């Protein structure tokens, strides 16, 4: 029996714009399981990014309940949320969002130093992390001095350095070319294979097929769910892609 | 025409688009514009105020108190009537002596009101409007009322032949010449015929002669001719229009200097900060400028959009700026009103507003032109794709963060925000320069006021002042008696000489003179240069007088003393505050050559430290109070200089308050704008686990370091510039040479603490607002 890490009950989120309210998430209930590579798919404006930020505690919701390991995220104090961000959650964004005036190494190291007080250990871990992502030559370069793919790998390094339990990814391949995107997805698959939970938002089928649980969002509601085989060895990427495609076509999406 | 419309529309939409940042830019522009308008308004409102009021109320150009013993009053009247240069004159009974107000002895001139007089009009500010006071009533000037907190109905006691006579204050009036509380002695008014009741028939009567010339340039000549025609008249007191005007304008000039300096510094800071804002805006909107260029806009069009945007903002803030300028002007003018006893002064705002607006527009146009040079280099495609990226090659070698992660980020802030940090240091340096200058000025001025030689006399504990100047108690007896008292360690007899002047370029400069028996006995009568007079033909003059007349040690000087011209050899310079610093020192013999009947009228007394001061004071009072005013030196200094010191303090506090407000708000604005620019970066730091407090602490540490640097720069520049500035500012008080400024360590530490507090508070407030924004908004938007 899989352990539930996130429980969403009747969650609602509304944005206020100048002219009207946008009901981005409507009475959404959902469980997310530990170790899953959960993919949230949907067309533009379906609310998938909103959902991701709600689950990660980066945005507030209007009503309902979101629990992480039985703790209601909405009831957590700022101090407790910071603890989650430092130790439990890692985040990678479409726009990459490294601190522009810090080198790759400094971006990763400063994140780790929020929880690791021993400087020597922190330096060693950061170097090892960047090495494992094939960034050893780019350690002392600024984000603006490396390619998009390298930047995204650096962002992954920063997200993983605190040994987080859950990795959130918002359109991580959005700013990358095909080969860079593929490399990143391979990396995420490897991370998931080491039993880290990943929750990823994408509209790209090629990215989606890396997940073992695909959730389809439309107008703020989950309209469908597709479970794929957990390991890529058991099902090829093409097969997975085709399965998702057929699922969507059957529903006329 | 269409293009112009489009440019205006874009500029307007840019304001709407970045409401928050434009709001804070607007606040900053508001502060700058308000500062300019206020300073111009103060200058314009108070400029030539004395001349205006003097003309309005037909004030006299000369006031004299003369002894009528040898004077043929009718002959004098006929002479004055025939002099067609004279607009009008008053020749009335006068009483010059000491009155008691709230148990304090005050030197006054009491005049009888001439109901049909064409000059010296009085305006009743409080009390029933009448032609003159009733019996046993007295009218007092507004300056005196504010100095001693006198209200209608308060009693004033005048020494008379029958003892102290009680008079009731029935009106507080405005008289241009005497309403300033800085003028001493002051003047009061009684009904015609009242003064005869105060003095015995044997007492020499005094007359108050006030003359107003038709043409102000003639009054010096009128007086010179008068003295030639009436050499027998004994002038006890003589004050010219120039002296009245100088005293009236003391605070006005001081405030004008301070405000001018503050405005000039504000102008410099404003230019830099607007340049910084415009540059930052360009970096932020780089992509959009690329889009505009891609659509066919010329670089000049984009520059116009930027300028027009700021013009719009200035137009929006203009009404608020005018209101604030009015409020601040009123606060400062209120200080003038209280010190000068003036009526309500309506701040003039029209021309100052136009001037302030003009200066702001010039600054915006020039800074836009310079900052917008970057626009020439925009390649639309790169701008649209990549936004702004510096072309500088940044040296990047990873610095391993210090033990403290926050200090690491503080130093990163210094590296990436160079221009912004330089501006902050500049702003804070100016702020601390003004703050420290005000504190040191106040301390130093206080020290100057404490020195007895600044009012012309030796170091004293108690001063006896002869009450009746014509019938002095013989000084030989007084000196012997005082020296016999065992608790007195030193007695210094002093002659105070009135009715002296020099001519300089048609200006008659009134002087205050002192004569001492032997200057070698009194080292506390210090000099700036040279020595005190030894021989009867020698004179020491005040430094400001020597500057004015361009006279040096060894030169001859001609002084008119009591109507007689006398030549002296200048032996040294000293500084005094009395009479705006215009004075001289003679030997007793030197003065007796001019007036052989004169005797000492003041006695400076030092009490032996072994004895109880209060008991000694009481003993002296009991012995001498019938013939002398017996005052402690503190009271005398307070009466001469207390009001001045108080008003300068209030003015300095007001200016510090306004400058602190501007600085605090500017720092808040700059920090907030900086945070708006770096929203995304803040969001990322929060998302990886930085707490709000850690982010605020980084900013506070950064500001602490910048403030410390600014304080050091401020104190260095204060040390370098303040002596010179004070010489210029205080020259109106007679002080043109300040050697030792008072760097009171505790006061400077307190000032630094206040500055730190203002900066920390502003920084904390500006950063605190980010607590409420959620992460998603920070990162995504």
């Amino acid at each position: 029996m899989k352990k539930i890490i996130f429980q969403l009950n009747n969650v609602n989120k509304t944005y206020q714009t100048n002219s009207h309210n946008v009901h981005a998430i409507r009475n959404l209930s959902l469980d997310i399981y530990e170790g899953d590579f959960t993919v949230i798919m949907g067309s533009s404006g379906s609310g998938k990014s909103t959902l991701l930020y709600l689950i990660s505690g980066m945005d507030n919701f209007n009503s309902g309940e979101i629990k992480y390991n039985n703790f209601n995220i909405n009831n957590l104090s700022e101090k407790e949320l910071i603890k989650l961000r430092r130790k439990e959650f890692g985040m990678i964004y479409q726009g990459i969002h490294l601190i522009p005036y810090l080198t790759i190494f400094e971006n990763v190291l400063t994140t780790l130093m929020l929880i690791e007080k021993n400087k020597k250990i922190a330096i060693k871990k950061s170097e090892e992390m960047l090495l494992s992502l094939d960034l050893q030559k780019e350690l002392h370069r600024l984000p603006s001095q490396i390619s998009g793919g390298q930047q995204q790998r650096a962002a992954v390094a920063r997200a993983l350095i605190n040994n987080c339990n859950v990795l959130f990814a918002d359109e991580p391949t959005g700013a990358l070319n095909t080969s860079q995107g593929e490399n990143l997805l391979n990396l995420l698959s490897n991370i998931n294979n080491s039993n880290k939970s990943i929750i990823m938002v994408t509209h790209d089928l090629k990215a989606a097929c890396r997940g073992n649980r695909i959730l389809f969002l439309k107008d703020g509601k989950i309209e469908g769910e597709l479970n794929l085989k957990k390991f890529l060895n058991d099902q090829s990427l093409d097969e997975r892609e085709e399965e998702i495609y057929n699922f969507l076509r059957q529903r006329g999406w | 025409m269409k293009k112009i419309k489009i440019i205006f529309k874009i500029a307007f939409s840019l304001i709407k688009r970045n409401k928050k940042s434009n709001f804070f830019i607007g606040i900053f522009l508001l502060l700058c514009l308000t500062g300019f308008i206020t300073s111009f308004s103060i200058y314009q409102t108070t400029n030539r105020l004395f001349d205006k009021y003097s003309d309005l109320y037909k004030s006299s150009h000369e006031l004299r108190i003369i002894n009528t013993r040898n004077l043929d009053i009718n002959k004098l009247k006929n002479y004055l009537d025939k002099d067609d240069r004279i607009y009008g004159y008053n020749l009335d009974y006068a009483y010059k002596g000491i009155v008691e107000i709230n148990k304090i002895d005050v030197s006054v001139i009491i005049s009888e009101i001439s109901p049909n007089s064409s000059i010296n009009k009085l305006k009743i500010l409080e009390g029933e409007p009448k032609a003159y006071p009733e019996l046993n009533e007295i009218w007092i000037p507004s300056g005196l009322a504010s100095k001693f907190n006198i209200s209608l109905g308060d009693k004033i006691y005048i020494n008379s032949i029958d003892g102290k006579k009680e008079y009731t204050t029935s009106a507080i009036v405005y008289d241009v010449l005497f309403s300033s509380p800085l003028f001493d002695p002051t003047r009061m008014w009684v009904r015609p015929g009242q003064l005869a009741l105060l003095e015995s028939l044997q007492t020499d009567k005094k007359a108050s002669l006030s003359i107003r010339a038709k043409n102000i340039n003639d009054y010096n000549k009128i007086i010179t001719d008068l003295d030639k025609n009436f050499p027998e008249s004994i002038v006890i007191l003589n004050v010219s229009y120039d002296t009245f005007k100088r005293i009236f304008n003391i605070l006005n000039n001081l405030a004008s200097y301070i405000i001018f300096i503050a405005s000039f510094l504000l102008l410099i800071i404003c230019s830099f900060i607007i340049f910084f804002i415009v540059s930052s805006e360009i970096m932020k909107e780089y992509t959009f400028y690329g889009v505009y260029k891609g659509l066919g806009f010329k670089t000049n069009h984009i520059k116009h959009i930027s300028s027009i945007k700021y013009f719009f903002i200035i137009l929006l803030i203009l009404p608020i700026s005018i209101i604030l300028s009015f409020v601040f002007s009123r606060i400062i003018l209120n200080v003038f009103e209280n010190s000068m006893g003036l009526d309500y002064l309506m701040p003039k705002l029209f021309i100052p507003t136009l001037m302030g607006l003009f200066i702001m527009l010039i600054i915006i146009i020039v800074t836009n032109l310079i900052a917008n040079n970057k626009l020439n280099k925009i390649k639309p495609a790169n701008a649209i794709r990549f936004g702004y990226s510096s072309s500088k090659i940044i040296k990047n070698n990873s610095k391993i963060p210090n033990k403290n992660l926050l200090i690491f980020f503080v130093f990163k802030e210094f590296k990436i925000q160079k221009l912004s940090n330089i501006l902050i240091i500049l702003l804070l340096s100016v702020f601390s320069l003004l703050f420290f200058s005000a504190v040191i000025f106040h301390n130093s001025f206080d020290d100057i006021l404490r020195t007895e030689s600044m009012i012309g006399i030796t170091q004293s504990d108690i001063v006896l002042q002869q009450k009746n100047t014509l019938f002095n108690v013989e000084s030989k007896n007084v000196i012997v008696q005082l020296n016999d008292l065992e608790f007195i360690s030193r007695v210094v007899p002093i002659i105070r000489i009135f009715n002296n002047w020099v001519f300089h370029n048609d200006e008659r400069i009134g002087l205050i003179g002192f004569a001492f028996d032997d200057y070698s006995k009194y080292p506390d009568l210090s000099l700036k240069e040279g020595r005190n007079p030894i021989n009867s033909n020698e004179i020491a003059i005040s430094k400001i007088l020597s500057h004015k007349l361009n006279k040096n040690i060894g030169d001859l000087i001609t002084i008119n003393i009591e109507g007689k011209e006398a030549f002296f050899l200048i032996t040294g310079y000293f500084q005094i505050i009395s009479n705006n610093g215009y004075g001289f020192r003679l030997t007793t013999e030197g003065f007796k050559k001019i007036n052989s009947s004169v005797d000492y009228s003041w006695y400076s007394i030092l009490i032996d430290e072994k004895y109880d001061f209060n008991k000694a004071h009481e003993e002296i009072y009991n012995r001498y109070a019938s013939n002398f005013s017996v005052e402690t030196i503190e009271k005398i200094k307070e009466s001469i200089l207390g009001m001045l010191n108080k008003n300068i303090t209030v003015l300095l506090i007001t200016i510090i308050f306004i400058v602190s407000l501007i600085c605090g708000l500017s720092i808040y604005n700059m920090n907030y704008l900086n945070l708006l620019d770096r929203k995304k970066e803040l969001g990322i730091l929060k998302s990886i686990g930085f707490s709000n407090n850690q982010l605020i602490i980084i900013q506070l540490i950064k500001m602490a370091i910048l403030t410390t640097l600014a304080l050091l720069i401020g104190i260095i520049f204060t040390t370098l510039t303040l002596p010179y500035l004070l010489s210029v500012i205080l020259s109106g008080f007679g002080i043109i040479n300040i050697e030792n400024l008072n760097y009171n360590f505790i006061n400077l530490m307190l000032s630094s603490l206040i500055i730190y507090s203002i900066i920390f508070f502003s920084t904390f407030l500006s950063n605190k607002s980010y607590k409420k924004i959620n992460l998603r908004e920070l990162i995504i938007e």
Side-chain angles (χ1 to χ4, degrees), chain A residues 15 53 58-59 82 85-86 93 97 101-103 106 109-111 114 119 123 140-141 145 158, chain B residues 396 398-401 408 412 416 678 680-681 684 686-689 691 694 774-776 779-780:
Chain A
Y15 292 113
Y53 287 111
M58 286 179 61
D59 201 354
I82 287 168
R85 287 173 202 146
R86 286 182 184 178
Y93 309 92
H97 295 332
Y101 53 82
L102 299 179
T103 62
E106 285 168 346
L109 179 63
T110 51
T111 308
L114 286 168
K119 197 163 77 174
I123 291 169
H140 302 299
R141 293 191 182 203
Q145 294 170 322
R158 184 182 65 186
Chain B
N396 51 313
S398 301
K399 293 256 171 25
I400 310 300
F408 169 73
K412 281 290 179 186
I416 58 161
R678 298 165 65 195
K680 199 173 268 188
E681 182 198 316
I684 295 164
K686 278 184 90 165
S687 74
I688 61 173
S691 65
Q694 283 176 313
N774 70 41
L775 279 187
R776 187 183 174 284
I779 292 170
I780 303 305

Side-chain angles (χ1 to χ4, degrees), chain B residues 36-38 40-41 44 348-357:
Chain B
F36 289 137
I37 296 176
T38 305
F40 292 139
S41 173
Q44 214 203 352
K348 294 189 179 175
L349 288 175
F350 180 67
I351 292 176
T353 301
L354 290 178
M355 286 180 71
L357 209 53

Side-chain angles (χ1 to χ4, degrees), chain B residues 90-143:
Chain B
N90 287 342
L91 183 60
D92 309 296
Y93 267 127
Y95 170 93
K96 186 184 177 298
I98 307 289
V99 302
E100 186 188 303
I101 303 172
N102 296 339
K103 294 190 183 168
I104 300 168
D105 284 346
V106 179
S107 175
V108 298
I109 303 161
I110 304 178
S111 297
E112 291 179 347
I113 286 183
S114 308
N116 302 316
S117 171
S118 60
I119 67 170
N120 286 337
K121 302 288 182 193
L122 301 175
K123 181 181 173 183
I124 296 177
L125 299 174
E126 285 178 51
E128 271 186 59
K130 287 180 190 174
Y132 44 75
E134 301 296 335
L135 196 64
N136 296 331
E137 284 181 356
I138 196 162
W139 289 359
I140 62 168
S142 48

Side-chain angles (χ1 to χ4, degrees), chain A residues 211-230:
Chain A
N212 64 293
R213 186 180 177 212
I214 321 295
L215 301 169
F216 298 94
L217 212 61
K218 191 178 178 186
D219 295 333
K221 285 183 187 171
I222 295 179
E223 292 291 342
E225 183 176 332
L226 176 65
N227 288 301
L228 301 174
K229 292 206 169 103
K230 168 97 172 127

Side-chain angles (χ1 to χ4, degrees), chain B residues 184-415:
Chain B
D184 182 47
T186 188
R187 182 162 72 172
M188 302 176 171
W189 298 265
V190 293
R191 63 179 288 139
Q194 183 95 59
L195 289 179
L197 302 172
L198 290 173
E199 292 171 318
S200 78
L201 292 170
Q202 280 78 42
T203 308
D204 275 356
K205 297 294 179 283
K206 291 173 251 338
S208 159
L209 173 63
S210 303
I211 299 174
R212 180 176 172 85
K214 284 177 183 167
N215 185 334
I216 195 170
N217 298 321
D218 289 338
Y219 86 86
N220 283 323
K221 196 71 176 57
I222 293 170
I223 297 303
T224 313
D225 291 343
L226 180 70
D227 285 338
K228 277 185 190 153
N229 283 286
F230 292 89
E232 67 280 16
S233 73
I234 301 167
V235 179
I236 299 164
L237 178 73
N238 180 71
V239 189
S240 69
Y241 182 81
D242 287 330
T243 304
F244 280 118
K245 187 172 176 178
R246 227 183 0 256
I247 293 169
F248 186 92
N249 283 331
I250 284 175
L251 280 179
N252 172 22
N253 290 341
L254 176 67
S256 296
Y257 277 127
I258 293 170
I259 291 167
F260 173 73
I261 291 165
S263 300
F264 179 70
L265 293 169
L266 187 66
L267 183 73
I268 295 173
I269 295 166
C270 188
S271 307
F272 276 104
I273 291 185
I274 291 178
F275 176 81
F276 163 72
I277 289 171
V278 171
S279 298
S280 302
E281 288 272 296
I282 291 170
M283 286 191 268
K284 235 174 40 172
E285 306 284 358
Y286 213 74
T287 306
F288 285 100
Y289 290 137
V291 169
Y292 296 144
K293 271 198 150 180
L295 289 171
F297 280 82
K298 291 182 189 171
T299 307
N300 280 341
H301 293 148
I302 301 171
K303 286 181 185 176
H304 294 149
I305 291 170
S306 179
S307 296
I308 289 166
K309 187 184 111 169
Y310 288 103
F311 293 158
F312 268 140
I313 295 177
I314 287 180
L315 284 176
L316 284 171
I317 61 162
L318 186 62
I320 305 169
S321 181
I322 291 171
I323 293 168
L324 283 177
S325 302
F326 178 84
V327 170
F328 287 138
S329 298
R330 275 300 311 145
I331 293 171
I332 295 172
L333 287 172
N334 195 41
V335 176
F336 282 130
E337 286 162 12
N338 287 336
S339 72
M340 295 182 198
L342 292 172
D343 220 348
Y344 178 88
L345 287 172
M346 184 65 177
K348 294 189 179 175
L349 288 175
F350 180 67
I351 292 176
T353 301
L354 290 178
M355 286 180 71
L357 209 53
F358 178 71
I359 289 174
M360 287 298 292
L361 294 178
I362 297 288
I363 291 172
I364 283 168
I365 291 169
V366 170
T367 49
N368 259 286
L369 278 174
I370 299 169
N372 279 323
N373 259 330
K374 287 187 184 71
L375 292 173
N376 293 331
K377 300 171 194 167
I378 290 180
K379 301 274 182 254
N382 286 340
I384 291 163
R385 288 178 71 197
F386 305 118
Y388 179 77
S389 58
S390 173
S391 57
K392 284 187 190 165
I393 297 166
I394 303 163
K395 283 185 194 167
N396 51 313
N397 46 340
S398 301
K399 293 256 171 25
I400 310 300
N402 301 328
K403 268 199 181 137
N404 193 320
L405 190 59
L406 301 185
I407 302 291
F408 169 73
F409 272 94
V410 169
F411 282 99
K412 281 290 179 186
E413 290 265 328
F414 285 137
K415 214 176 163 182

